[in-house]
Amino acid sequence: MPTDDAIRFDLADPLPVGKLAIQASAGTGKTYTLADLATRFIAEGRASASELLIVTFTRAATDELRSRVRDRVVGAAEHLASGHPAPDGDALLTLLSEPDDRDRLARLQRAVSEFDAATVTTIHGFAKQVLGALGVSAGSDPDARLDADSSALIRDTCADVLIAAAVDGEPTDALPGLEVLFAATKLADGRPDLALVPLPDQSGAAPSDLLLRRLVERGVALVSRRRRQSGTLSFDDVLNQLRDALCGPGGESAVASLRSRFTVALIDEFQDTDPVQWEIFSTLFDGPDTGTSLVLVGDPKQAIYAFRGADVHTYLRAVQDGPSTSRRSLVTNWRSDDSVLTSLNVLFDGATFGSPDIPFVPVVEAEGNRGRYLQGGDGRPLPALSLRLAVGHDIVRHKNNDHLVIATAATRSIYADLATEVARLLDEGFLPDGADGDGHRPVRPPDIAVLVGRHTDAADIQAALAERGIPAVVTRGGSVLESPAADHLRWLLHAFARPADPHRVRMYALSWFAGRPATEVATLSEADMEDMQEQLRQWSEMLGTHSVADTFARVWSESGLVPRVLGAADGDRNMTDLDHLVELLAGVSTGGRSGVAALLSVLDTEPQREDDTEVDGDVSPRRSASEAASVQIMTVWAAKGLEFPVVCLPTLWRPPRENEPVVYVDPDSGRRTFDLSGGAAWPDEDGALARRRLAADEAAGERLRLLYVAMTRAQHQTVVWWAQAGRSAESALAHVLF
């Protein structure tokens, strides 16, 4: 959204009729803005609680948004009932506080009592709700289960497709590898609007690429058929079915019904939309004759989920569509010190993030953050943005290019320097503290976050911090059923099942429950084996007569598990996962009791999922590791939406990965396109070069947006490391530095 098109958002402006697009840069309070708008719509009679539709893109964000809106409605009702003047700085209460306006008070009080009727949900939750209401007329199976991760199904299907192709006579040396077919099919699955090229009659295309295209199409179709046969749906299936039900034959009555129910739709995190999602919302709420208000809140600079199908170009088309769209921007940053914002304004001055229509938007600090800063032991301000260079002579360099460091050597040096910097901050740093902003307190480990590009970096960084005696936890996404704790618990249960099996006993001996080193396990004495077998037999027998919870409580106690796990790196993380897993096992056990086979089946099959990637009804997402004082290590994606006093960024200098998929928006058709040839020379080299450039520009824009997200998490200080290694000049950090 170009800055010259966007006017500063003012809550006191008339409530929108039609479409309003609000650009919300990092830290500008979009959740508060949504809550204030929802409260105004209710107070001024534009919508009742049941006529509000508020949609965001994750389950956690849904919970936060529902809580924030409810608190704002309750607070506004209580304030109007009190008759007191509005507190200074509260624009909403000031706006609503008109003398003797009993209608507003009555509407708000009614909304408090009816708030459970408000629809605050994920996009997939909304789609499933509507499909359930439409029933068989939508062509969907109301009893179908949502499958959050189809990777195993897609991989098995691709293997079957390859076997069938070989049986049908395709030369085996022309067939793609399983991983190639799997990656391409997974990318295309559930995305009917994605164009696959080269086309069957494409001149210059290699036969192997045309064969891959045919196999991907077969794989996508077979995956869809197998989902139907197994009574499951992917999240993309749910959205596609709703789009087809609303936009296809007979959809007019469903659209009219939904418009009459929802008079106001507020869409959060809209930069993460895709063509199917936008077609749903635009069909329902966008247009001069809908009689509804549609508010789209998002920030294209933070569109970082292209790998999940999000399409920032769809966002741009939606917010720039026609003169009837009102555009506003949130310009006050409530997160960061003024010195942090000044540094970012200099760093990103003139930058764009994948498109000229996604420029950097300068923001101003909130009044309470002006003059606030992180200080050193001498009381002086520490730099708001610190750039540390891996240029030491002790870092190994390329023999023929001594201006380039070896990436692995630079990584080791940077991780060591990171640990030194964190130790210095903990020893000498002081954070602003107190309502008046004048007080300070020492920096503590939880005040510091280390953001990385890959989960695989986290363990090495954690180890580097541990060498300096600094506690750190790795915050991972995903399911607890896929954690290391689940593996160790499986080893224990397998040993429960057959304590006499020496192989299983040795596997148990290697687990956290026994903690024997591999060298010792290889030479276990007969007496040691017998002792462990007897211990396992007793625990296994107890499982048949006592509850799951009681049995594992005994295991925890008699094995010495807790101090052993907590004494190791990532101990808090692993102990949290183990306790979580036992809760899962106990929760699905009849009367609290169960057998080994049933418990193993729980670990090997994820619980039914309901709504989203952070889904309702799914109890397996990993919990926060610990409330203890630890530095937090997580990916940039996991940190989106979060804030931390101090942020360390040790991996932004790394070059982009090679051999990324060639995915781009075709300039002629406007469709997102996947070139299965990897950018090969068809119809000629000029055409291939154009496609590769389009895809490279798309990928570079995504990296720049990741950089923006990483650089805007800090309240007081961001520390960034740079190393000049091979292809580092292709990184997003190099783009803004040089």
Side-chain angles (χ1 to χ4, degrees):
M1 192 187 305
T3 52
D4 57 352
D5 285 348
I7 304 169
R8 175 174 180 161
F9 175 80
D10 188 339
L11 186 64
D13 287 343
L15 285 172
V17 176
K19 184 168 63 177
L20 169 65
I22 301 176
Q23 179 170 281
S25 295
T28 54
K30 67 179 178 60
T31 305
Y32 287 95
T33 299
L34 281 165
D36 283 356
L37 276 172
T39 306
R40 267 199 72 193
F41 273 112
I42 291 171
E44 298 184 17
R46 289 279 300 278
S48 64
S50 63
E51 292 171 331
L52 274 179
L53 172 64
I54 306 177
V55 175
T56 188
F57 283 77
T58 69
R59 184 68 184 93
T62 298
D63 291 340
E64 179 188 3
L65 196 50
R66 173 179 285 276
S67 176
R68 190 69 57 79
V69 174
R70 185 186 186 98
D71 289 347
R72 206 63 170 127
V73 171
V74 170
E78 291 175 347
H79 167 72
L80 293 186
S82 73
H84 296 152
D88 291 340
D90 194 319
L92 174 68
L93 297 186
T94 299
L95 191 63
L96 297 181
S97 297
E98 293 185 4
D100 300 324
D101 194 337
R102 297 187 178 276
D103 288 340
R104 286 183 175 176
L105 175 58
R107 295 183 194 114
L108 289 168
Q109 289 176 331
R110 185 166 56 252
V112 171
S113 64
E114 299 175 351
F115 191 78
D116 287 344
T119 302
V120 186
T121 183
T122 63
I123 171 60
H124 300 97
F126 171 68
K128 191 177 181 188
Q129 182 185 106
V130 174
L131 287 172
L134 295 176
V136 294
S137 64
S140 64
D141 178 1
D143 297 322
R145 293 180 295 105
L146 276 171
D147 182 10
D149 185 359
S150 298
S151 296
L153 171 63
I154 295 172
R155 188 180 298 278
D156 290 346
T157 301
C158 287
D160 292 342
V161 166
L162 287 172
I163 292 170
V167 171
D168 289 343
E170 295 287 358
T172 54
D173 57 352
L175 292 173
L178 175 59
E179 291 304 315
V180 171
L181 181 59
F182 167 72
T185 305
K186 186 174 182 180
L187 196 154
D189 176 52
R191 300 172 67 179
D193 294 6
L194 181 69
L196 301 179
V197 294
L199 299 174
D201 57 352
Q202 180 65 61
S203 63
S208 59
D209 295 331
L210 296 174
L211 173 60
L212 176 59
R213 186 184 193 280
R214 293 196 300 274
L215 296 179
V216 169
E217 290 177 329
R218 291 177 196 171
V220 169
L222 185 54
V223 166
S224 178
R225 185 161 68 248
R226 288 179 171 178
R227 282 203 192 99
R228 290 195 302 271
Q229 291 169 346
S230 64
T232 62
L233 291 170
S234 72
F235 293 129
D236 289 327
D237 290 336
V238 175
L239 296 177
N240 289 326
Q241 286 185 6
L242 179 57
R243 189 265 305 269
D244 294 344
L246 298 178
C247 302
E252 297 84 357
S253 60
V255 170
S257 175
L258 288 166
R259 285 178 183 170
S260 66
R261 178 180 175 187
F262 299 114
T263 59
V264 173
L266 308 176
I267 313 300
D268 186 22
E269 299 287 3
F270 186 64
Q271 76 277 347
D272 296 327
T273 194
D274 63 37
V276 174
Q277 294 172 13
W278 175 233
E279 193 167 357
I280 291 169
F281 291 129
S282 61
T283 298
L284 290 173
F285 306 116
D286 186 25
D289 302 322
T290 62
T292 59
S293 295
L294 175 62
V295 180
L296 309 173
V297 182
D299 181 10
K301 302 186 300 300
Q302 298 186 73
I304 59 172
Y305 292 115
F307 68 95
R308 290 182 183 170
D311 180 9
V312 72
H313 300 283
T314 299
Y315 167 92
L316 293 173
R317 287 193 297 271
V319 301
Q320 295 173 357
D321 182 22
S324 61
T325 301
S326 300
R327 289 183 283 271
R328 300 290 186 270
S329 284
L330 301 178
V331 299
T332 301
N333 182 291
W334 304 91
R335 172 180 299 162
S336 303
D337 299 344
D338 53 346
S339 55
V340 171
L341 298 180
T342 299
S343 300
L344 294 177
N345 289 345
V346 172
L347 182 69
F348 289 127
D349 181 39
T352 59
F353 296 86
S355 165
D357 290 332
I358 312 177
F360 175 66
V361 180
V363 292
V364 298
E365 73 280 359
E367 185 175 349
N369 296 346
R370 197 168 298 146
R372 194 180 68 172
Y373 57 86
L374 172 70
Q375 71 179 32
D378 58 4
R380 296 181 180 179
L382 294 176
L385 177 59
S386 176
L387 179 64
R388 301 188 61 78
L389 310 179
V391 295
H393 294 294
D394 57 330
I395 303 175
V396 181
R397 298 173 180 274
H398 283 270
K399 291 181 180 179
N400 299 326
N401 296 289
D402 61 0
H403 67 289
L404 297 178
V405 297
I406 300 295
T408 53
T411 296
R412 287 194 299 271
S413 179
I414 287 172
Y415 289 176
D417 189 65
L418 164 68
T420 299
E421 279 299 294
V422 170
R424 182 162 59 184
L425 274 172
L426 294 174
D427 289 341
E428 304 174 6
F430 291 85
L431 290 172
D433 189 38
D436 57 3
D438 294 332
H440 284 77
R441 65 164 178 82
V443 175
R444 297 190 289 262
D447 299 320
I448 302 172
V450 182
L451 308 186
V452 296
R454 299 188 297 258
H455 279 304
T456 51
D457 299 320
D460 290 338
I461 292 172
Q462 185 182 41
L465 293 170
E467 286 182 8
R468 299 295 299 265
I470 301 168
V473 294
V474 179
T475 302
R476 299 185 182 95
S479 169
V480 70
L481 298 173
E482 299 168 344
S483 66
D487 292 332
H488 286 261
L489 197 54
R490 286 186 185 96
W491 299 347
L492 175 68
L493 289 172
H494 281 299
F496 272 17
R498 292 173 59 184
D501 185 337
H503 175 73
R504 298 191 184 204
V505 175
R506 283 191 169 89
M507 189 165 59
Y508 156 76
L510 289 169
S511 74
W512 296 335
F513 299 96
R516 304 282 187 105
T519 52
E520 182 180 323
V521 171
T523 58
L524 281 172
S525 68
E526 186 174 338
D528 283 339
M529 287 288 289
E530 289 176 352
D531 288 344
M532 283 190 287
Q533 287 172 327
E534 176 60 22
Q535 180 74 86
L536 289 165
R537 184 187 61 77
Q538 291 177 12
W539 289 339
S540 180
E541 289 178 353
M542 183 177 178
L543 188 61
T545 58
H546 292 70
S547 70
V548 170
D550 287 345
T551 301
F552 282 106
R554 179 179 173 183
V555 174
W556 268 217
S557 174
E558 294 181 355
S559 67
L561 170 78
V562 176
R564 184 180 303 115
V565 171
L566 292 179
D570 222 5
D572 287 329
R573 169 75 273 161
N574 293 328
M575 202 63 233
T576 298
D577 286 344
L578 282 169
D579 290 339
H580 186 182
L581 286 163
V582 170
E583 285 184 33
L584 285 181
L585 297 180
V588 298
S589 304
T590 304
R593 300 182 186 181
S594 187
V596 172
L599 298 183
L600 283 170
S601 71
V602 174
L603 294 181
D604 294 336
T605 304
E606 292 211 24
Q608 177 176 325
R609 299 175 184 261
E610 293 292 342
D611 266 325
D612 195 84
T613 45
E614 293 175 79
V615 286
D616 296 326
D618 179 12
V619 291
S620 70
R622 300 177 83 183
R623 297 170 177 170
S624 175
S626 174
E627 298 299 326
S630 300
V631 173
Q632 302 171 73
I633 307 172
M634 67 185 71
T635 65
V636 177
W637 289 274
K640 184 176 177 293
L642 303 179
E643 61 182 45
F644 311 92
V646 177
V647 172
C648 298
L649 304 171
T651 65
L652 292 180
W653 57 275
R654 288 183 179 161
R657 293 181 179 180
E658 296 180 311
N659 301 319
E660 292 180 328
V662 179
V663 179
Y664 56 93
V665 174
D666 185 276
D668 297 324
S669 68
R671 290 184 66 185
R672 184 157 290 277
T673 303
F674 180 15
D675 180 3
L676 289 160
S677 75
W682 59 264
D684 50 40
E685 187 55 45
D686 288 343
L689 180 61
R691 295 194 307 278
R692 290 197 297 267
R693 282 178 174 169
L694 287 169
D697 288 346
E698 289 271 332
E702 183 89 356
R703 292 192 295 271
L704 283 163
R705 296 190 291 273
L706 269 170
L707 174 71
Y708 175 83
V709 170
M711 297 290 295
T712 53
R713 299 305 97 197
Q715 295 169 296
H716 309 295
Q717 184 185 56
T718 301
V719 186
V720 188
W721 280 263
W722 168 258
Q724 182 72 7
R727 295 180 58 238
S728 287
E730 299 174 34
S731 67
L733 182 59
H735 182 83
V736 298
L737 287 178
F738 308 120

